[in-house]
Amino acid sequence: MDWNLMSTELWDDEAKNWGKRENKAKAWERGPRKAMIDFLFDYIGQPPGTVLDFGCGTGESTKIMMERGYDSIGTDQSTKMVKTAMQKGVQAKDMKNNTLPFSNESFDSIFACTSLEWTNRPSELISEVSRVLKQGGKIVAVTLGPSARPRWSAYKRLYGEQVIHNMMMPWELKALLEDHGLECTRMAGAQSGNKPLVDQETYELLSENWIAQASISFLWGIGAVKK
């Protein structure tokens, strides 16, 4: 199976309607994704600064960064997603075979929201992310919580079927970042905006045990610094 080719074809097929669904749901204006992009802005500090939106999709998040005053550019494995993003007035480039089209240490910050798992070799992607990040630069990497419904896209692997969503647990993402010389300094989670598993007070009490808190989060973000 050519994992990257199949993943690219999937997101090319999604490109036409993905942005419409995001806008209809106001996905970056409320709920878990807004919480994660707010975490990014708080973690990387005020603009100016160059920000790579890794896995930008149709460019909604890249556009928000631009409107906040950051020098932002998106990248995605789907050429159709990139074209849609560019139609919104943002800069975007497509990437192929886990290789980013940028020189070493090009960016002050990187945002990778549920985008590192769409390959059979996430370690390669994290190596690339680290390569294009400046020394002392910051990354916010986001993965789905273990109970998040979209993880069902990988369920059929248990029947031996080929799937293209690599199921990284939050602790695995943290370990991979650390393996590639990135120091994890802050973490934050967000529950589903529709049906949170516990009330917010209980959720906050779990902050002393990040793995427990991550297990009931819809999205889990990790902020790391390149040392």
Side-chain angles (χ1 to χ4, degrees):
M1 178 181 76
D2 188 331
W3 186 306
N4 288 337
L5 177 61
M6 291 182 65
S7 182
T8 298
E9 289 176 347
L10 168 68
W11 289 110
D12 277 345
D13 289 341
E14 289 282 348
K16 184 177 181 180
N17 295 314
W18 186 259
K20 293 178 182 178
R21 289 198 295 268
E22 281 188 323
N23 289 332
K24 184 177 181 180
K26 299 186 183 298
W28 292 101
E29 298 177 26
R30 62 191 182 198
R33 284 198 229 176
K34 183 181 186 303
M36 289 296 102
I37 203 165
D38 285 347
F39 174 42
L40 170 77
F41 294 142
D42 182 63
Y43 187 64
I44 68 176
Q46 296 298 311
T50 53
V51 185
L52 174 64
D53 190 4
F54 179 84
C56 65
T58 58
E60 288 298 318
S61 48
T62 321
K63 186 177 180 181
I64 292 170
M65 295 174 198
M66 182 180 70
E67 291 171 346
R68 287 288 190 101
Y70 296 94
D71 181 9
S72 59
I73 183 170
T75 188
D76 202 279
Q77 62 182 319
S78 166
T79 301
K80 290 184 179 180
M81 287 281 194
V82 167
K83 287 180 178 178
T84 302
M86 293 175 67
Q87 289 169 359
K88 297 177 181 179
V90 303
Q91 295 186 75
K93 294 184 178 182
D94 59 331
M95 59 172 289
K96 301 298 181 187
N97 299 319
N98 290 351
T99 302
L100 289 168
F102 307 106
S103 58
N104 294 349
E105 300 195 359
S106 297
F107 297 97
D108 297 301
S109 304
I110 296 174
F111 184 52
C113 187
T114 64
S115 53
L116 294 168
E117 54 263 63
W118 293 97
T119 175
N120 60 337
R121 299 184 300 277
S123 62
E124 279 191 4
L125 285 183
I126 293 174
S127 180
E128 273 293 277
V129 163
S130 180
R131 178 183 66 79
V132 303
L133 185 63
K134 293 178 181 179
Q135 206 74 22
K138 295 180 177 179
I139 176 173
V140 168
V142 182
T143 190
L144 289 164
S147 62
R149 182 68 186 179
R151 283 190 176 273
W152 281 89
S153 64
Y155 173 70
K156 290 185 178 180
R157 79 195 188 286
L158 301 179
Y159 287 90
E161 295 186 28
Q162 294 178 330
V163 297
I164 54 174
H165 183 192
N166 213 324
M167 296 267 294
M168 274 193 293
M169 292 293 108
W171 69 266
E172 290 175 318
L173 176 58
K174 182 174 183 290
L176 273 176
L177 292 169
E178 292 171 341
D179 285 347
H180 288 80
L182 298 158
E183 181 183 356
C184 299
T185 60
R186 196 187 305 179
M187 292 183 284
Q191 294 197 82
S192 169
N194 298 322
K195 295 180 180 179
L197 295 178
V198 300
D199 62 83
Q200 191 61 27
E201 183 178 359
T202 303
Y203 184 75
E204 296 299 332
L205 288 173
L206 290 171
S207 61
E208 296 299 315
N209 184 339
W210 78 266
I211 292 179
Q213 194 177 48
S215 72
I216 58 172
S217 298
F218 183 81
L219 293 177
W220 188 256
I222 301 173
V225 181
K226 181 178 177 179
K227 294 296 186 180

